mmCIF file of all heavy atoms in Angstrom:
data_model
loop_
_atom_site.group_PDB
_atom_site.id
_atom_site.type_symbol
_atom_site.label_atom_id
_atom_site.label_comp_id
_atom_site.label_asym_id
_atom_site.label_seq_id
_atom_site.Cartn_x
_atom_site.Cartn_y
_atom_site.Cartn_z
ATOM 1 N N GLU A 1546 -27.686 27.164 45.475
ATOM 2 C CA GLU A 1546 -29.117 26.962 45.752
ATOM 3 C C GLU A 1546 -29.895 26.655 44.473
ATOM 4 O O GLU A 1546 -30.860 25.896 44.493
ATOM 5 C CB GLU A 1546 -29.699 28.222 46.428
ATOM 6 C CG GLU A 1546 -29.348 28.263 47.905
ATOM 7 C CD GLU A 1546 -29.259 29.693 48.445
ATOM 8 O OE1 GLU A 1546 -29.882 30.597 47.847
ATOM 9 O OE2 GLU A 1546 -28.532 29.891 49.447
ATOM 10 N N ALA A 1547 -29.469 27.260 43.374
ATOM 11 C CA ALA A 1547 -30.221 27.094 42.110
ATOM 12 C C ALA A 1547 -29.905 25.773 41.421
ATOM 13 O O ALA A 1547 -30.612 25.370 40.499
ATOM 14 C CB ALA A 1547 -29.887 28.254 41.169
ATOM 15 N N MET A 1548 -28.870 25.085 41.863
ATOM 16 C CA MET A 1548 -28.403 23.926 41.117
ATOM 17 C C MET A 1548 -29.410 22.782 41.111
ATOM 18 O O MET A 1548 -29.907 22.382 42.162
ATOM 19 C CB MET A 1548 -27.077 23.435 41.685
ATOM 20 C CG MET A 1548 -26.478 22.358 40.819
ATOM 21 S SD MET A 1548 -24.714 22.490 40.786
ATOM 22 C CE MET A 1548 -24.434 22.260 42.496
ATOM 23 N N VAL A 1549 -29.708 22.277 39.934
ATOM 24 C CA VAL A 1549 -30.584 21.106 39.822
ATOM 25 C C VAL A 1549 -29.684 19.879 39.810
ATOM 26 O O VAL A 1549 -28.756 19.789 39.006
ATOM 27 C CB VAL A 1549 -31.409 21.157 38.507
ATOM 28 C CG1 VAL A 1549 -32.303 19.934 38.385
ATOM 29 C CG2 VAL A 1549 -32.215 22.444 38.438
ATOM 30 N N THR A 1550 -29.960 18.941 40.704
ATOM 31 C CA THR A 1550 -29.121 17.746 40.787
ATOM 32 C C THR A 1550 -29.892 16.531 40.272
ATOM 33 O O THR A 1550 -31.113 16.580 40.128
ATOM 34 C CB THR A 1550 -28.658 17.488 42.232
ATOM 35 O OG1 THR A 1550 -29.825 17.244 43.023
ATOM 36 C CG2 THR A 1550 -27.892 18.671 42.782
ATOM 37 N N GLY A 1551 -29.170 15.480 39.982
ATOM 38 C CA GLY A 1551 -29.802 14.248 39.488
ATOM 39 C C GLY A 1551 -28.749 13.167 39.454
ATOM 40 O O GLY A 1551 -27.596 13.424 39.803
ATOM 41 N N PRO A 1552 -29.129 11.970 39.018
ATOM 42 C CA PRO A 1552 -28.131 10.900 38.993
ATOM 43 C C PRO A 1552 -27.033 11.191 37.964
ATOM 44 O O PRO A 1552 -27.317 11.755 36.909
ATOM 45 C CB PRO A 1552 -28.926 9.658 38.582
ATOM 46 C CG PRO A 1552 -30.232 10.153 38.075
ATOM 47 C CD PRO A 1552 -30.458 11.542 38.582
ATOM 48 N N SER A 1553 -25.808 10.790 38.290
ATOM 49 C CA SER A 1553 -24.726 10.968 37.320
ATOM 50 C C SER A 1553 -24.810 9.849 36.294
ATOM 51 O O SER A 1553 -25.182 8.724 36.624
ATOM 52 C CB SER A 1553 -23.373 10.931 38.028
ATOM 53 O OG SER A 1553 -23.171 9.656 38.583
ATOM 54 N N ILE A 1554 -24.468 10.159 35.040
ATOM 55 C CA ILE A 1554 -24.432 9.095 34.029
ATOM 56 C C ILE A 1554 -22.994 8.713 33.700
ATOM 57 O O ILE A 1554 -22.734 7.812 32.930
ATOM 58 C CB ILE A 1554 -25.216 9.468 32.748
ATOM 59 C CG1 ILE A 1554 -24.740 10.798 32.153
ATOM 60 C CG2 ILE A 1554 -26.707 9.522 33.031
ATOM 61 C CD1 ILE A 1554 -25.332 11.070 30.778
ATOM 62 N N GLU A 1555 -22.059 9.431 34.298
ATOM 63 C CA GLU A 1555 -20.634 9.108 34.127
ATOM 64 C C GLU A 1555 -19.913 9.753 35.294
ATOM 65 O O GLU A 1555 -20.295 10.833 35.747
ATOM 66 C CB GLU A 1555 -20.151 9.700 32.806
ATOM 67 C CG GLU A 1555 -18.985 9.001 32.151
ATOM 68 C CD GLU A 1555 -17.633 9.554 32.593
ATOM 69 O OE1 GLU A 1555 -17.556 10.693 33.099
ATOM 70 O OE2 GLU A 1555 -16.647 8.810 32.429
ATOM 71 N N LYS A 1556 -18.888 9.057 35.790
ATOM 72 C CA LYS A 1556 -18.139 9.629 36.913
ATOM 73 C C LYS A 1556 -16.703 9.113 36.825
ATOM 74 O O LYS A 1556 -16.497 7.916 36.597
ATOM 75 C CB LYS A 1556 -18.775 9.158 38.221
ATOM 76 C CG LYS A 1556 -18.378 9.949 39.435
ATOM 77 C CD LYS A 1556 -18.982 9.359 40.708
ATOM 78 C CE LYS A 1556 -20.415 9.778 40.928
ATOM 79 N NZ LYS A 1556 -21.127 8.879 41.870
ATOM 80 N N GLY A 1557 -15.735 9.999 36.980
ATOM 81 C CA GLY A 1557 -14.341 9.539 36.899
ATOM 82 C C GLY A 1557 -13.385 10.561 37.478
ATOM 83 O O GLY A 1557 -13.739 11.724 37.683
ATOM 84 N N ILE A 1558 -12.175 10.086 37.772
ATOM 85 C CA ILE A 1558 -11.138 10.973 38.311
ATOM 86 C C ILE A 1558 -9.991 11.020 37.313
ATOM 87 O O ILE A 1558 -9.527 9.975 36.849
ATOM 88 C CB ILE A 1558 -10.632 10.472 39.678
ATOM 89 C CG1 ILE A 1558 -11.784 10.471 40.697
ATOM 90 C CG2 ILE A 1558 -9.460 11.339 40.188
ATOM 91 C CD1 ILE A 1558 -11.410 9.994 42.093
ATOM 92 N N ALA A 1559 -9.547 12.225 36.969
ATOM 93 C CA ALA A 1559 -8.448 12.357 36.005
ATOM 94 C C ALA A 1559 -7.321 13.172 36.631
ATOM 95 O O ALA A 1559 -7.573 14.140 37.348
ATOM 96 C CB ALA A 1559 -8.949 13.052 34.739
ATOM 97 N N PRO A 1560 -6.072 12.769 36.357
ATOM 98 C CA PRO A 1560 -4.933 13.525 36.892
ATOM 99 C C PRO A 1560 -4.727 14.821 36.097
ATOM 100 O O PRO A 1560 -5.242 14.959 34.986
ATOM 101 C CB PRO A 1560 -3.749 12.582 36.662
ATOM 102 C CG PRO A 1560 -4.150 11.752 35.485
ATOM 103 C CD PRO A 1560 -5.648 11.633 35.523
ATOM 104 N N LEU A 1561 -3.969 15.741 36.667
ATOM 105 C CA LEU A 1561 -3.636 16.987 35.965
ATOM 106 C C LEU A 1561 -2.145 17.019 35.709
ATOM 107 O O LEU A 1561 -1.344 16.818 36.631
ATOM 108 C CB LEU A 1561 -4.036 18.220 36.789
ATOM 109 C CG LEU A 1561 -5.473 18.742 36.569
ATOM 110 C CD1 LEU A 1561 -6.484 17.766 37.158
ATOM 111 C CD2 LEU A 1561 -5.650 20.108 37.171
ATOM 112 N N ARG A 1562 -1.785 17.290 34.457
ATOM 113 C CA ARG A 1562 -0.383 17.261 34.097
ATOM 114 C C ARG A 1562 -0.109 18.287 33.005
ATOM 115 O O ARG A 1562 -0.955 18.520 32.143
ATOM 116 C CB ARG A 1562 -0.071 15.857 33.567
ATOM 117 C CG ARG A 1562 1.323 15.675 33.033
ATOM 118 C CD ARG A 1562 1.460 14.395 32.234
ATOM 119 N NE ARG A 1562 1.646 13.211 33.052
ATOM 120 C CZ ARG A 1562 0.946 12.099 32.932
ATOM 121 N NH1 ARG A 1562 -0.021 12.008 32.044
ATOM 122 N NH2 ARG A 1562 1.189 11.050 33.689
ATOM 123 N N SER A 1563 1.086 18.882 33.046
ATOM 124 C CA SER A 1563 1.586 19.697 31.936
ATOM 125 C C SER A 1563 2.774 18.930 31.371
ATOM 126 O O SER A 1563 3.595 18.424 32.141
ATOM 127 C CB SER A 1563 2.098 21.056 32.431
ATOM 128 O OG SER A 1563 1.091 21.789 33.080
ATOM 129 N N PHE A 1564 2.858 18.856 30.051
ATOM 130 C CA PHE A 1564 3.948 18.091 29.419
ATOM 131 C C PHE A 1564 4.215 18.656 28.027
ATOM 132 O O PHE A 1564 3.276 18.953 27.296
ATOM 133 C CB PHE A 1564 3.539 16.609 29.297
ATOM 134 C CG PHE A 1564 4.517 15.756 28.542
ATOM 135 C CD1 PHE A 1564 5.572 15.142 29.199
ATOM 136 C CD2 PHE A 1564 4.408 15.587 27.162
ATOM 137 C CE1 PHE A 1564 6.493 14.357 28.502
ATOM 138 C CE2 PHE A 1564 5.313 14.804 26.460
ATOM 139 C CZ PHE A 1564 6.360 14.194 27.126
ATOM 140 N N VAL A 1565 5.489 18.821 27.696
ATOM 141 C CA VAL A 1565 5.845 19.232 26.323
ATOM 142 C C VAL A 1565 7.073 18.442 25.884
ATOM 143 O O VAL A 1565 8.039 18.307 26.640
ATOM 144 C CB VAL A 1565 6.187 20.743 26.233
ATOM 145 C CG1 VAL A 1565 6.525 21.136 24.782
ATOM 146 C CG2 VAL A 1565 5.050 21.612 26.746
ATOM 147 N N CYS A 1566 7.020 17.932 24.663
ATOM 148 C CA CYS A 1566 8.176 17.264 24.059
ATOM 149 C C CYS A 1566 8.743 18.167 22.967
ATOM 150 O O CYS A 1566 7.997 18.658 22.114
ATOM 151 C CB CYS A 1566 7.715 15.931 23.459
ATOM 152 S SG CYS A 1566 8.905 15.206 22.317
ATOM 153 N N GLU A 1567 10.045 18.366 23.010
ATOM 154 C CA GLU A 1567 10.727 19.130 21.957
ATOM 155 C C GLU A 1567 11.813 18.240 21.344
ATOM 156 O O GLU A 1567 12.491 17.532 22.103
ATOM 157 C CB GLU A 1567 11.396 20.378 22.549
ATOM 158 C CG GLU A 1567 10.427 21.404 23.060
ATOM 159 C CD GLU A 1567 11.133 22.700 23.503
ATOM 160 O OE1 GLU A 1567 12.367 22.711 23.620
ATOM 161 O OE2 GLU A 1567 10.422 23.683 23.732
ATOM 162 N N PRO A 1568 12.021 18.274 20.039
ATOM 163 C CA PRO A 1568 11.218 18.976 19.037
ATOM 164 C C PRO A 1568 9.952 18.195 18.721
ATOM 165 O O PRO A 1568 9.777 17.068 19.180
ATOM 166 C CB PRO A 1568 12.154 18.987 17.829
ATOM 167 C CG PRO A 1568 12.941 17.715 17.965
ATOM 168 C CD PRO A 1568 13.103 17.480 19.434
#
Side-chain angles (χ1 to χ4, degrees):
E1546 281 151 24
M1548 188 144 61
V1549 179
T1550 63
S1553 65
I1554 55 171
E1555 207 270 340
K1556 196 184 279 161
I1558 298 180
L1561 271 70
R1562 175 194 279 130
S1563 301
F1564 174 88
V1565 181
C1566 165
E1567 293 186 348

